[in-house]
Amino acid sequence: MPRAHIELDKQAVVAPVRRRTFGAFVEHLGRGVYTGLYEPEHPSANDEGFRMDVVELVRELGSTTVRYPGGNFVSGFRWEDSIGPRDKRPVRRDLSWHSLESNQVGLDEFARWLKLTDSELMLSVNVATRGILPALDLLEYANHPSGTALSDLRIANGTREPHNVRMWCLGNEMDGPWQTGFMTADGYGKIAARTAAAMKMADKDLELVVCGSSGSGMPTFGDWERTVLEHAYDHVDYVSCHAYYQEHDGDLGSFLASAIDMDYFIDTVVATADHVGYKKRSNKKINISFDEWNVWYLKEHQESGDVNDVWRHAPRQLEDKYTVADAVVVGNLLMTLLRRSDRVTSASLAQLVNVIAPIMTEPGGPAWRQTTFHPFSITSRLASGEVIRPVIETPTYETARHGEASVIDAVATADEDRAAVFLVNRDLREAAQVTIDVRGLGSSRIAEAVTLADSDVYAKNTLADQNRVTPSANPSATLADGVLTIELPPVSWTAIALR
Ligand code: AHR
């Protein structure tokens, strides 16, 4: 049996646990909005047409900030289409996902939905195919209290109080040739800087996110961030990172170690941003908004040509069904984001409902939790106070994609009177015994120990079997003389709450 030992010391603080680490993403894509959040005919729908069964699950998920309305969608979006009387809103073609957008849900409705879920709105503006003025108009409509044309229009449309959106994304994945209106780093950097500067003339306290690379595999990765930040450094607050992982060619060992790539990605972007900052003799630090991350079976979607030939409204797109192994990876990626909370100060699981999502729905039918729902929800519930950097002694294994990987990975959080430890065992066959010295946390009691694992690592939750995979109490956890001992099944994710 592989054995690992972890030392935790409350003094080894990385940064505060940031609630925005538990952000999510809702794009007008497939059934993310229509028949996902919004389905007026559904038995659980409220007066506004929002599915309350989904609202309940979102609250249980514990997501915080929600990025909206895209994604690739935003690069063809005219925000003005989605406000005002619903019967006057135009139907448009969305070129990025090759579908029809009815605009029946727009900014005002979505903001009201967010209130039901106690979440914060993070808005993307279309810098790809529009300009500075439409971005300023949206800002005025969303945030100005009253007494101007667009703030009064918002009030006339039924929203008296401003939405007061703090975080704004300056476009989406502008380096990707799939993006409507994609740009070079130099072209985008200049536009982003000018748009950001103008938005800050309206409100200097906005938090603005400039697009980084759409993945660390992009040929321009690194150079893109450097060039864009050379233009926009003084005007923005965050640079974005996007990363999706999947199992390739049956190589589960590499897939389980995906968090190594995320770490490398963060290191590189932080180094690049700091390089630009030092060159500019700036005291300011640019942090990371990891505003798209998840497991996504992208290769399969691309190969199956999962794009509509016919223009349909809310087609089934990107409805990945997640396995136990996927949930272990998602749990591990979230652990990595927490461990990097010194510089990753906002993140968004992509996405929230139906589209590569932790929550699935059936039109007219139930809503249920995917496997990946569980590590996210439990981590959001248990992580509090400060992130603690663990010292981990663990066996390692070789992976084809990421080199040497730890069998056991961990992160901890600690508050005044409670602490939590999150763990994965990446071993494909064997359970691991882990001892954790928790004396440095001042913890003396296990309040909860839950593990997500299954004898079939490819087991999924489906419409027919919605609770096939759920976390269960781990009875092996004991705590004596300040040392916690626990057995972790192969390919598993675990959370331990301590008092
Ligand atoms: O999340 C799905 C898509 O992935 C987003 O629209 C885009 O930004 C990314 O490529």
Side-chain angles (χ1 to χ4, degrees):
M1 174 184 278
R3 287 173 192 278
H5 180 73
I6 299 171
E7 292 283 333
L8 294 174
D9 180 349
K10 220 173 179 172
Q11 305 303 315
V13 171
V14 176
V17 173
R18 301 177 196 277
R19 292 314 300 167
R20 280 179 175 165
T21 302
F22 303 102
F25 173 33
V26 170
E27 178 166 8
H28 281 250
L29 189 187
R31 299 192 308 114
V33 174
Y34 305 107
T35 74
L37 319 178
Y38 177 78
E39 190 181 340
E41 306 77 25
H42 193 271
S44 80
N46 70 1
D47 292 348
E48 280 226 72
F50 288 122
R51 287 182 61 151
M52 294 308 287
D53 58 344
V54 174
V55 166
E56 284 310 310
L57 284 181
V58 172
R59 293 178 70 95
E60 183 186 328
L61 181 70
S63 52
T64 53
T65 311
V66 183
R67 181 169 177 253
Y68 175 85
N72 296 340
F73 170 81
V74 82
S75 295
F77 182 50
R78 300 166 175 92
W79 69 267
E80 303 87 337
D81 288 347
S82 69
I83 57 163
R86 278 186 163 139
D87 58 351
K88 301 263 179 336
R89 298 185 192 178
V91 174
R92 298 267 190 201
R93 293 184 311 178
D94 167 29
L95 301 187
S96 55
W97 301 106
H98 233 255
S99 42
L100 294 180
E101 173 54 51
S102 68
N103 284 304
Q104 291 303 294
V105 172
L107 169 60
D108 295 324
E109 291 83 20
F110 190 70
R112 284 198 285 278
W113 180 81
L114 283 175
K115 284 213 169 71
L116 299 172
T117 64
D118 272 340
S119 317
E120 179 193 4
L121 178 56
M122 174 181 183
L123 266 186
S124 309
V125 294
N126 177 356
V127 297
T129 57
R130 303 202 75 194
I132 298 174
L133 203 52
L136 293 177
D137 285 350
L138 175 57
L139 178 58
E140 181 186 326
Y141 183 89
N143 282 6
H144 196 79
S146 65
T148 66
L150 292 169
S151 57
D152 287 346
L153 179 60
R154 182 196 67 239
I155 294 168
N157 286 340
T159 307
R160 167 144 289 285
E161 294 304 317
H163 296 303
N164 195 20
V165 181
R166 304 324 303 160
M167 281 192 86
W168 295 76
C169 303
L170 302 164
N172 177 70
E173 295 192 348
M174 296 300 304
D175 58 335
W178 57 85
Q179 198 70 214
T180 318
F182 67 91
M183 295 176 192
T184 62
D186 194 55
Y188 171 66
K190 285 177 183 156
I191 288 182
R194 291 165 60 225
T195 309
M199 290 175 78
K200 288 213 173 170
M201 285 167 79
D203 180 349
K204 66 177 178 25
D205 296 326
L206 295 179
E207 298 173 59
L208 302 182
V209 186
V210 77
C211 292
S213 298
S214 37
S216 58
M218 294 298 286
T220 49
F221 176 52
D223 278 344
W224 174 275
E225 281 77 359
R226 180 183 51 73
T227 309
V228 166
L229 286 173
E230 274 166 359
H231 290 294
Y233 198 95
D234 294 337
H235 307 289
V236 301
D237 306 280
Y238 298 84
V239 59
S240 71
C241 290
H242 290 182
Y244 292 100
Y245 298 96
Q246 70 172 101
E247 184 180 337
H248 291 276
D249 308 320
D251 181 1
L252 182 56
S254 288
F255 176 50
L256 289 170
S258 297
I260 293 175
D261 179 77
M262 182 182 248
D263 246 329
Y264 152 80
F265 192 172
I266 294 167
D267 279 343
T268 311
V269 175
V270 166
T272 307
D274 288 351
H275 162 79
V276 176
Y278 292 139
K279 271 206 320 189
K280 287 181 175 286
R281 311 282 185 266
S282 173
N283 290 326
K284 172 177 166 182
K285 284 268 186 268
I286 299 287
N287 285 324
I288 292 179
S289 166
F290 217 118
D291 47 43
E292 286 187 34
W293 69 272
N294 203 349
V295 170
W296 178 9
Y297 286 84
L298 180 58
K299 192 161 165 265
E300 285 70 11
H301 283 296
Q302 285 166 339
E303 285 170 1
S304 73
D306 185 20
V307 168
N308 303 308
D309 292 330
V310 271
W311 296 90
R312 279 179 296 164
H313 182 245
R316 288 184 188 263
Q317 282 179 306
L318 279 55
E319 298 198 3
D320 287 21
K321 296 189 178 55
Y322 290 118
T323 66
V324 171
D326 296 334
V328 172
V329 171
V330 164
N332 198 177
L333 295 172
L334 189 52
M335 285 161 50
T336 304
L337 293 169
L338 271 176
R339 207 167 35 217
R340 306 308 299 266
S341 294
D342 54 334
R343 297 302 292 273
V344 181
T345 56
S346 183
S348 310
L349 175 70
Q351 300 194 5
L352 188 56
V353 183
N354 287 333
V355 174
I356 45 173
I359 297 169
M360 297 301 292
T361 69
E362 198 51 30
W368 66 97
R369 302 165 189 81
Q370 294 237 49
T371 58
T372 53
F373 180 100
H374 297 290
F376 191 100
S377 157
I378 296 169
T379 308
S380 176
R381 176 167 60 82
L382 295 182
S384 69
E386 286 168 319
V387 180
I388 306 298
R389 190 188 315 283
V391 178
I392 311 173
E393 273 173 52
T394 167
T396 58
Y397 67 108
E398 269 310 309
T399 69
R401 294 180 89 87
H402 310 297
E404 191 180 18
S406 312
V407 170
I408 302 297
D409 196 16
V411 71
T413 63
D415 219 334
E416 294 218 327
D417 57 352
R418 60 189 192 134
V421 187
F422 305 96
L423 300 142
V424 289
N425 178 11
R426 295 171 175 154
D427 197 291
L428 300 187
R429 276 166 289 277
E430 289 196 75
Q433 188 170 72
V434 180
T435 50
I436 311 172
D437 188 336
V438 295
R439 284 171 300 180
L441 296 181
S443 304
S444 57
R445 186 169 70 81
I446 298 172
E448 185 180 343
V450 286
T451 292
L452 189 97
D454 199 284
S455 53
D456 175 6
V457 299
Y458 295 107
K460 301 169 181 179
N461 295 338
T462 58
L463 173 61
D465 196 354
Q466 293 164 22
N467 292 304
R468 164 72 181 80
V469 180
T470 53
S472 50
N474 187 325
S476 72
T478 56
L479 176 51
D481 301 328
V483 178
L484 192 156
T485 305
I486 189 165
E487 203 174 292
L488 307 180
V491 191
S492 64
W493 174 90
T494 293
I496 306 167
L498 297 161
R499 293 286 183 273

